[in-house]
């Protein structure tokens, strides 16, 4: 055999070991070359009489993260090319055959006549777990890092190499559907208890355990290849089956609002496949997989949530001519909620942290937040006491600015007041050296204005975290007018070190994310003032694909904060910069009724101590009018809530605030949850087409006002047929030439 990605050897008992260890990669991935080598291994094992069975294991710290999704992008491109050259039927047949190759390869392994065992340590996800499922025996290590799962739904796909059929034949149907709908990663012991794997052993016993099983079971075959096999939840058309499928369909509708074709395909593939023998079930799955792979949702989600995210995380926007920053010590000034969160994620990354506040008590309180977070992890079995001690030892809480000396980077997270921030800037620069980079965590204040208080504006940059810091993936890195390349490089290296995803934006009030989110909140407020029932507003947000409705989101970020931002905008940009209806609503909520949001248990919702939140009944009296539900066009509400955000993203792109479509899309999904199925704000426009989007904007503007008026760039794109990604690709090609 000619193997590059595997090491293959056979022991004295006739048990082969195929060690998956791809050169030049930190993680094993499934590629066409890998598939060809696995095919060789199957043929060798099946045809060599002396080989009794084969263990597949990994030579890396993890088993595998699954398929290289750029391979699937290539299949879609092949289909488009063949459809133009040879017609739709030829293109579709070729696409189906190519997309089914991995499924057929795994079935070949499963039925070759010799048993295979998967010995798994670390993550084993997606197509890699589907490989393990095709093996007759699966043993995993008891290490905390070991996880198995099928997360394809998170990038708009579903398990297309046998996952829907094998998991649904191993687990109770409801559990199998939930696992695939959520893309869950399952730990070792739960995986064994639910039947996904057979055994859990210490890491150093993995291969030995697998070999012993193979020696004891030379004739082993998959359970579904036994004529006496029975489904875990009985037949689909049985009393037990009918307890599963109607609720499953209802849950699917509730959780997805029918926005995710891949989720519907999971439901259909399992429902249809369980009524058939395994080979026909696999063929059903393959047909659905080929269909889903050609959807715009899958293409957009793969691009934004896999390809673009990887590129941004690896430093796509980092100055290439500067060496990596050697970050060791980071200062955080301001130990409130945001500063405490920044200190925690920084210490979690292994960096030393100096946490400064106005007095020792406040600084200690900020450090205590890290203690609480790690203690919560300990209670859930995800960390040990030693982990907490080590993390806390890296955080120095103090009221002395002199302790910042020697910091490579200082991030201030103090109160959103230019005067307060100016005082902090002066104190920090008096304590640190001339090479220290200063990062300001602010959500609305322009960075150029703050940098004017700095003695070294070239070292001044915005680093905008989202709340809560420990959970939110996005960080906006904001360039002021005089920010230098070293500051940008340092900020991006820092964001990478703490395992967040950065987008680089240019300076403006509200930057990128908050401008879009602000529009979402405003539209919800204006709908309310029009008399739209608040429950319908919230439902429209969810149905459009947002994680929560605009009123619920405003409660989370605080109603008084939204009012404060509105007043600041009015003071700086004039009366015309705010909507009077929104101003009245927020004024009445905050000043007349003291409804500040979740933080004081009173906002657009009431938050009783016992029981779920519920919409405040007083909203009807506050607004003074209410439309009958039958007068409300739900589709129009959804359009308004999505278009207002996408249009603002288009404006920021035209203004040069965001300069890369990848950053606009990734930032919109992980920053404020913009309809992930769309691929992000600019993909939403590209998928609709600029002409159709402009037409929709103009119809909304005619009915609801100038805020929906499309910008010049969009109008030009509508005439020329341009797209954001098409134009960006053309620019990149021109630069490369």
């Amino acid at each position: 055999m000619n193997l590059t990605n595997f090491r293959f050897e056979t022991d004295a008992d006739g048990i082969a070991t195929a060690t998956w260890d791809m050169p030049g990669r930190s993680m094993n991935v499934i590629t066409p070359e890998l598939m060809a080598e696995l095919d060789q291994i199957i043929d060798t094992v099946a045809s060599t009489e002396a080989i009794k069975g084969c263990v597949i294991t990994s030579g890396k710290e993890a088993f595998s993260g699954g398929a290289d999704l750029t391979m699937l992008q290539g299949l879609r491109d092949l289909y488009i090319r063949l459809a133009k050259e040879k017609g739709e039927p030829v293109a579709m047949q070729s696409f189906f055959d190519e997309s089914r190759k991995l499924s057929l390869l795994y079935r070949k392994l499963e039925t070759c006549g010799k048993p295979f065992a998967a010995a798994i340590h670390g993550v084993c996800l997606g197509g890699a777990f589907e490989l393990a499922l095709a093996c007759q025996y699966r043993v995993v290590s008891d290490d905390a890092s070991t996880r198995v799962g099928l997360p394809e739904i998170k990038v708009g796909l579903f398990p297309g190499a046998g996952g829907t059929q094998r998991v649904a034949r191993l687990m109770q149907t409801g559990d199998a559907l939930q696992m695939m709908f959520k893309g869950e990663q399952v730990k070792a012991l739960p995986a064994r208890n639910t039947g996904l794997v057979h055994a859990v052993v210490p890491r150093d016993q993995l291969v030995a355990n697998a070999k012993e099983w193979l020696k004891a079971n030379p004739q082993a075959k998959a359970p579904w290849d036994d004529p006496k096999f029975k489904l875990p939840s009985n037949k689909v058309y049985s009393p037990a089956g009918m307890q599963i499928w109607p609720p499953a369909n209802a849950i699917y509708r509730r959780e997805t609002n029918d926005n995710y074709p891949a989720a519907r395909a999971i439901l259909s593939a399992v429902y249809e496949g369980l009524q058939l023998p395994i080979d026909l079930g696999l063929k059903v799955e393959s047909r659905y997989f080929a269909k889903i792979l050609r959807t715009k949702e899958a293409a957009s989600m793969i691009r934004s949530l896999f390809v673009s995210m990887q590129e941004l995380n690896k430093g796509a926007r980092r100055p290439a001519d500067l060496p990596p920053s050697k970050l060791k010590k980071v200062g955080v000034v301001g130990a409130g909620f945001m500063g405490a969160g920044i200190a925690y994620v920084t210490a979690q990354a292994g960096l030393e942290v100096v946490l400064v506040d106005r007095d020792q008590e406040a600084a200690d309180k900020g450090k205590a937040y890290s203690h609480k977070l790690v203690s919560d992890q300990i209670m859930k079995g995800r960390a040990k006491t030693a982990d907490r001690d080590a993390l806390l030892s890296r955080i120095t809480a103090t009221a002395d600015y002199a302790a910042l000396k020697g910091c490579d980077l200082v991030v201030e997270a103090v109160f959103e007041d230019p005067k307060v921030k100016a005082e902090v800037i002066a104190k920090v620069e008096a304590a640190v050296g001339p090479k220290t980079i200063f990062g300001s965590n602010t959500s609305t204040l322009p960075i150029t204005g703050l940098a004017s208080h700095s003695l070294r504006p070239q070292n001044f940059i915005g680093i905008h975290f989202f709340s809560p810091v420990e959970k939110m993936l996005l960080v906006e890195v904001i360039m002021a007018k005089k920010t230098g390349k070293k500051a940008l490089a340092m900020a991006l290296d820092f964001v990478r070190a703490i395992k967040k995803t950065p987008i680089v934006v240019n300076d403006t009030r509200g930057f990128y994310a908050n401008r879009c989110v602000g529009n979402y909140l405003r539209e919800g407020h204006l709908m309310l003032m029009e008399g739209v029932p608040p429950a319908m507003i919230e439902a429209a947000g969810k149905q459009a694909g947002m994680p929560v409705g605009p009123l619920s989101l405003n409660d989370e970020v605080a109603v008084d904060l939204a009012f404060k931002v509105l007043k600041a905008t009015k003071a700086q940009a004039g009366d015309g910069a705010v909507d009077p209806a929104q101003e009245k609503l927020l004024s009445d909520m905050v000043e007349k009724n003291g409804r500040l949001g979740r933080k004081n248990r009173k906002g657009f919702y009431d938050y009783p101590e016992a029981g779920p939140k519920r919409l405040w009944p007083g909203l009807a009296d506050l607004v003074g009018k209410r439309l009958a539900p039958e007068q409300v066009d739900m589709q129009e509400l959804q359009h308004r809530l999505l278009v207002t955000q996408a249009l603002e993203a288009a404006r920021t792109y035209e203004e040069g605030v965001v300069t890369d479509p990848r950053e606009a899309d990734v930032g919109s999904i992980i920053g404020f949850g913009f309809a992930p199925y769309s691929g992000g704000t600019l993909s939403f426009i590209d998928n609709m087409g600029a002409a159709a989007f402009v037409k929709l904007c103009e119809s909304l503007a005619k009915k609801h006002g100038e805020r929906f008026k499309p910008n010049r760039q969009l109008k030009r794109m509508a005439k020329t047929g341009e797209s954001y990604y098409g134009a960006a690709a053309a620019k990149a090609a021109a630069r490369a030439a």
Side-chain angles (χ1 to χ4, degrees):
M1 289 187 290
N2 181 23
L3 301 178
T4 301
N5 299 299
F6 286 98
R7 297 191 299 274
F8 189 84
E9 53 193 11
T10 307
D11 66 15
D13 295 318
I15 305 298
T17 301
T19 303
W20 187 1
D21 195 358
M22 301 181 82
R25 289 181 182 263
S26 59
M27 174 79 77
N28 291 323
V29 294
I30 297 166
T31 63
E33 295 75 22
L34 184 283
M35 291 165 60
E37 291 187 19
L38 182 59
D39 197 22
Q40 289 183 56
I41 290 171
I42 297 168
D43 287 341
T44 299
V45 170
S47 62
T48 305
E49 188 175 348
I51 297 179
K52 308 302 181 187
C54 180
V55 179
I56 300 177
T57 191
S58 171
K60 300 189 185 296
E61 272 304 299
F63 191 83
S64 168
D68 180 354
L69 294 186
T70 55
M71 172 177 74
L72 300 180
Q73 279 190 315
L75 282 180
R76 200 169 186 275
D77 294 341
L78 174 67
Y79 166 77
I80 294 170
R81 191 178 76 244
L82 284 177
K84 289 179 180 177
E85 295 175 357
K86 299 185 178 180
E88 180 74 18
V90 172
M92 193 63 247
Q93 185 63 54
S94 174
F95 185 80
F96 176 69
D97 292 342
E98 289 295 319
S99 66
R100 200 184 177 203
K101 278 185 175 179
L102 191 60
S103 181
L104 292 174
L105 179 64
Y106 289 170
R107 185 60 176 155
K108 178 180 177 179
L109 177 149
E110 192 171 50
T111 59
C112 73
K114 302 280 182 71
F116 277 75
I120 299 164
H121 171 74
V123 294
C124 176
L125 304 174
F129 186 48
E130 289 175 295
L131 167 61
L133 291 169
C135 295
Q136 287 80 6
Y137 182 69
R138 294 170 292 284
V139 56
V140 300
S141 78
D142 59 5
D143 192 273
S145 68
T146 296
R147 301 276 197 285
V148 299
L150 299 168
E152 288 89 342
I153 193 73
K154 294 182 178 181
V155 288
L157 294 173
F158 77 102
T164 65
Q165 303 306 302
R166 293 188 177 94
V167 166
R169 285 167 170 79
L170 288 171
M171 301 172 71
Q172 294 290 322
T173 304
D175 294 338
L177 288 171
Q178 179 170 301
M179 174 188 166
M180 289 185 281
F181 279 162
K182 292 185 175 180
E184 290 177 336
Q185 295 185 23
V186 186
K187 293 181 181 180
L189 287 175
R192 184 195 65 189
N193 295 341
T194 52
L196 290 173
V197 304
H198 298 92
V200 180
V201 302
R203 182 181 183 181
D204 58 4
Q205 298 176 25
L206 272 176
V207 174
N209 179 281
K211 285 185 173 184
E212 287 301 316
W213 188 91
L214 289 170
K215 283 192 285 185
N217 298 274
Q219 304 301 319
K221 57 185 177 182
W224 35 85
D225 287 324
D226 185 333
K228 297 180 181 179
F229 173 71
K230 291 185 178 180
L231 296 171
S233 297
N234 215 324
K235 295 180 180 179
V236 169
Y237 284 100
S238 69
M242 287 301 102
Q243 293 292 314
I244 294 167
W245 290 101
N249 188 57
I251 291 168
Y252 154 74
R253 295 277 175 179
R254 183 190 71 196
E255 295 299 319
T256 70
N257 289 293
D258 212 20
N259 286 321
Y260 295 87
R264 191 193 310 172
I266 289 172
L267 203 64
S268 298
V270 174
Y271 176 77
E272 295 172 29
L274 289 183
Q275 300 176 59
L276 300 167
I278 185 69
D279 285 299
L280 286 177
L282 290 170
K283 192 169 187 177
V284 166
E285 177 192 80
S286 293
R287 291 197 181 282
Y288 278 111
F289 186 69
K291 178 182 178 181
I292 294 305
L293 196 53
R294 291 186 298 123
T295 62
K296 64 184 180 183
E297 289 87 356
S300 299
M301 290 180 75
I302 289 172
R303 180 174 66 193
S304 293
L305 293 173
F306 180 76
V307 179
S308 295
M309 265 193 77
Q310 280 200 344
E311 290 168 349
L312 295 177
N313 286 335
K314 290 178 180 177
R317 295 297 310 279
R318 189 187 186 282
D321 56 340
L322 293 179
S325 310
K326 295 179 181 178
L327 274 163
K328 292 181 181 178
K329 187 176 178 183
V330 174
V332 179
V333 181
F337 184 61
M338 291 299 291
I342 297 167
Y344 169 74
V345 297
T346 305
Q348 193 179 42
L351 300 172
E352 285 185 59
V353 181
V354 178
L355 182 59
V356 180
D357 211 309
R358 62 184 179 276
D359 54 47
Q360 190 64 46
E361 183 182 356
D364 288 339
K365 186 178 178 181
K367 183 173 179 176
Y369 184 70
S370 290
H371 186 283
K372 178 185 179 299
L373 290 176
V374 188
S375 296
D376 290 345
Q377 296 294 309
I378 293 170
M379 293 292 289
K380 295 173 183 176
R382 297 174 184 170
K384 299 175 182 177
T385 304
D387 299 326
R388 180 178 61 197
D389 294 343
L391 185 142
L392 293 174
S393 71
R394 291 192 287 272
I395 302 176
T396 301
T398 181
D400 186 2
Y401 277 77
L404 295 170
K405 187 176 181 180
C407 286
D408 306 295
L409 169 72
V410 174
V411 180
E412 68 80 7
V414 298
F415 190 65
E416 289 276 292
D417 184 313
K419 292 181 180 178
V420 174
K421 288 185 182 288
E423 291 173 5
V424 167
I425 292 166
K427 289 180 180 179
V428 170
E429 291 191 341
V432 301
K435 293 183 179 179
T436 300
I437 302 301
F438 189 101
S440 178
N441 175 65
T442 175
S443 57
T444 56
L445 299 176
I447 298 299
T448 300
L450 296 177
S452 67
H453 301 289
S454 171
L455 299 173
R456 297 180 284 274
Q458 73 278 7
N459 287 353
F460 200 101
I461 194 164
I463 304 178
H464 175 212
F465 288 85
F466 292 76
S467 180
V469 175
E470 65 275 8
K471 292 182 180 178
M472 298 298 287
L473 287 174
L474 183 68
V475 176
E476 281 183 309
V477 176
I478 305 119
M479 300 288 287
K481 286 184 179 178
K482 295 182 179 180
T483 300
K485 288 197 300 182
K486 287 184 179 179
L488 175 59
M490 174 74 78
L492 292 176
D493 290 343
F494 170 60
V495 174
R496 184 176 187 181
I498 60 175
K499 295 181 172 59
K500 304 290 184 185
T501 296
I503 62 170
V504 180
V505 303
N506 289 316
D507 196 19
T508 186
R509 184 173 181 82
F511 316 127
Y512 168 65
N514 280 346
R515 282 178 58 171
C516 297
V517 170
N519 275 23
Y520 181 59
L521 298 181
R522 178 182 65 183
E523 205 59 33
H525 296 158
L526 296 181
M527 289 174 179
L528 189 63
M529 295 302 283
E530 291 165 16
V532 178
M536 296 186 76
I537 298 170
E538 296 292 86
K542 294 274 285 182
Q543 288 171 17
M546 297 298 292
V548 293
L551 306 180
S552 182
L553 180 60
N554 199 171
D555 273 2
E556 294 297 328
V557 301
V559 182
D560 59 328
L561 176 61
F563 188 40
K564 179 185 173 186
V565 170
L566 182 144
K567 289 192 292 184
T569 301
K570 183 176 180 179
Q572 292 187 10
D575 291 355
V578 301
D579 192 294
Q582 183 188 27
E583 184 177 17
K584 182 181 185 306
L585 173 65
L586 292 177
S587 174
D588 288 349
M589 287 285 289
V590 175
E591 295 178 336
K592 292 184 180 179
N593 292 279
R595 303 192 69 87
L596 310 182
R598 182 184 277 275
K599 66 183 181 181
N600 79 331
R601 312 184 79 87
K602 297 188 300 181
F604 291 100
Y605 286 78
D606 284 322
Y607 297 87
E609 290 193 16
K613 68 181 183 181
R614 54 178 178 263
L615 283 160
W616 177 40
L619 285 174
D621 294 332
L622 188 74
V623 172
K625 57 182 175 179
R626 186 179 179 92
L627 297 173
E630 59 269 19
Q631 293 179 268
V632 179
D633 183 339
M634 282 296 285
Q635 186 177 51
E636 184 181 273
L637 296 186
Q638 292 173 45
H639 282 157
R640 287 171 64 180
L641 291 171
L642 292 182
V643 167
T644 190
Q645 297 176 79
L647 183 54
E648 191 64 20
R651 292 179 183 128
T652 64
Y653 194 77
E654 182 177 43
E655 294 166 18
V657 176
V658 178
T659 60
D660 189 323
R662 297 174 299 180
E663 293 179 304
D665 279 347
V666 171
S668 67
I669 295 174
I670 66 173
F672 49 95
F674 183 86
Y677 66 85
S678 71
T681 46
L682 296 189
S683 283
F684 177 80
I685 297 172
D686 274 0
N687 287 335
M688 187 182 293
F693 184 77
V694 165
K695 186 177 180 182
L696 177 58
C697 287
E698 288 173 340
S699 69
L700 290 173
K702 188 175 181 180
K703 189 171 181 180
H704 297 287
E706 289 288 298
R707 65 183 182 278
F708 285 107
K709 187 176 179 182
N711 53 305
R712 289 182 182 178
Q713 186 181 52
L714 267 175
K715 289 181 178 179
R716 191 194 71 237
M717 289 168 62
K719 290 179 181 178
T720 62
E722 270 185 88
S723 68
Y724 288 107
Y725 277 90
K731 285 181 183 177
R735 285 196 300 268

